[in-house]
Amino acid sequence: MLCLGIEGTAHTFGIGIVDSRGKVLANASRTYVPAKGGIHPRDAAQFHAANARAVLDEALKVAKIGIEDINLMAFSGGPGIGPCLRTAATAARALASWLNVPIISVNHCVAHVEIGRLTEGARDPVTLYVSGGNTQVIAFDAGRYRVFGETLDIPVGNCLDVFAREVGIPHPGGPNVERLAREGKRYIPLPYVVKGMDLSFSGLMTEAVRKHRAGANLRDLCYSLQETAFAALVEVTERAVAHTEKKEVMLTGGVAANKRLREMLRFMAKEHGAKFYVPPMELCADNGPMIGWTGILAYKHGVRHKLDDTVVKQRQRTDEIDIPWRSG
Ligand code: AMP
Ligand code: MG
């Protein structure tokens, strides 16, 4: 069986082609970069619509197959930006009805975990998923992926990006903050906010910008921002590991590129005798294969979606989704 997975929750429009044994035959994508500021929902959706055909052609070419070889369609049903989700869903529905194949709506966060389990061989990890649009600590329990902790306001990637933009660090924010942070020497105290198992980054971001305006050294600030934000992430992940007694920790999402965050999490995992995994970056970022693979898992375990079930959900939660392939 070959599944074509379409990812389109935010700035990346991706198409992956995956077979039922988990072989990734293609991973094609294009990413919308706003002229200035953050993602403009309608512009991003128009970008997806304008690039869908080229990404599809590239995926088929790389996989060396024809569109008629596809037996299953999957797409990112949520959570994400409404116009982007609707564009990806429309493309998926059109292809599914034209090819007359089943269609599966896939949760984006679940897909991030599943592609990591596939490629890294992690069986039952506590996953820290950190990106421009999401920040969650996820682990499987009683039939679903449970959210052990999450941000109460902005995602950590957004915190880094907005900080960068506000203080004049060029795009892309996250990697440039990381580079500057390596030259930071002095820790500047910043608000560290962990509430129960949840996190908050908006006050941290505002205060870091304020300290910059008050004349603090930019390299020291980048260093301090990373140390503060990442320590909070590691604290919550560590408590999930201690509570669940799972022996695997996985890091994914765009912020997984950060070497300092990797180092801190690896250290924590080691202290708990847990293995540490990070998928290759092209599968940590938003990608089509993760949607295709999760579509295959769902289909093989009896999940069937009618067209009515393919309405997108901007706020779909990780723990709303039954995971039959891991139950029993
Ligand atoms: P995604 O939302 O998964 O597409 O990932 C994009 C996010 O990852 C943005 O917020 C980037 O700033 C962030 N990011 C990418 N590389 C790094 C890095 N080296 N350090 C920190 N954040 C990063
Ligand atoms: Mg993502």
Side-chain angles (χ1 to χ4, degrees), residues 133-162:
N134 293 282
T135 296
Q136 292 186 347
V137 176
I138 303 167
F140 184 79
D141 186 43
R144 291 189 176 186
Y145 282 110
R146 309 290 168 178
V147 179
F148 280 78
E150 65 192 316
T151 182
L152 297 170
D153 43 55
I154 58 173
V156 67
N158 189 247
C159 169
L160 299 172
D161 294 340
V162 175

Side-chain angles (χ1 to χ4, degrees), residues 196-229:
M197 285 292 281
D198 290 327
L199 299 141
S200 159
F201 296 106
S202 66
L204 169 62
M205 190 268 289
T206 308
E207 180 60 11
V209 171
R210 202 191 62 77
K211 289 231 156 76
H212 177 257
R213 292 193 179 135
N217 177 284
L218 186 59
R219 289 173 169 77
D220 290 344
L221 258 184
C222 289
Y223 165 72
S224 309
L225 178 62
Q226 281 200 170
E227 293 301 303
T228 309

Side-chain angles (χ1 to χ4, degrees), residues 9-13 30-34 39 44 47-48 81 84 286:
T9 54
H11 58 176
T12 299
F13 184 87
R30 290 197 185 170
T31 297
Y32 156 85
V33 181
I39 298 179
F47 174 91
H48 293 351
I81 299 170
C84 300
D286 291 350

Side-chain angles (χ1 to χ4, degrees), residues 22-225:
K23 184 162 188 251
V24 176
L25 304 179
N27 179 11
S29 69
R30 290 197 185 170
T31 297
Y32 156 85
V33 181
K36 74 175 185 22
I39 298 179
H40 186 298
R42 196 186 56 228
D43 285 355
Q46 279 167 359
F47 174 91
H48 293 351
N51 287 279
R53 181 58 198 259
V55 176
L56 174 63
D57 287 344
E58 185 190 327
L60 293 171
K61 191 172 162 203
V62 172
K64 299 193 180 72
I65 61 161
I67 187 77
E68 64 286 349
D69 297 322
I70 297 296
N71 320 102
L72 179 67
M73 283 295 310
F75 71 99
S76 52
I81 299 170
C84 300
L85 288 170
R86 286 192 289 276
T87 304
T90 303
R93 286 188 209 107
L95 282 171
S97 37
W98 182 56
L99 294 167
N100 195 23
V101 299
I103 183 167
I104 301 280
S105 173
V106 167
N107 178 278
H108 177 88
C109 308
V110 169
H112 269 294
V113 177
E114 288 304 343
I115 196 74
R117 291 209 312 130
L118 172 71
T119 63
E120 302 315 291
R123 293 164 57 101
D124 186 23
V126 171
T127 301
L128 175 61
Y129 165 37
V130 274
S131 71
N134 293 282
T135 296
Q136 292 186 347
V137 176
I138 303 167
F140 184 79
D141 186 43
R144 291 189 176 186
Y145 282 110
R146 309 290 168 178
V147 179
F148 280 78
E150 65 192 316
T151 182
L152 297 170
D153 43 55
I154 58 173
V156 67
N158 189 247
C159 169
L160 299 172
D161 294 340
V162 175
F163 168 77
R165 206 151 70 216
E166 292 289 320
V167 303
I169 295 172
H171 180 87
N176 284 329
V177 169
E178 177 175 23
R179 197 171 39 76
L180 289 166
R182 267 188 231 123
E183 295 159 17
K185 295 196 171 61
R186 195 174 67 90
Y187 180 77
I188 301 167
L190 290 170
Y192 177 95
V193 186
V194 174
K195 298 185 183 183
M197 285 292 281
D198 290 327
L199 299 141
S200 159
F201 296 106
S202 66
L204 169 62
M205 190 268 289
T206 308
E207 180 60 11
V209 171
R210 202 191 62 77
K211 289 231 156 76
H212 177 257
R213 292 193 179 135
N217 177 284
L218 186 59
R219 289 173 169 77
D220 290 344
L221 258 184
C222 289
Y223 165 72
S224 309
L225 178 62

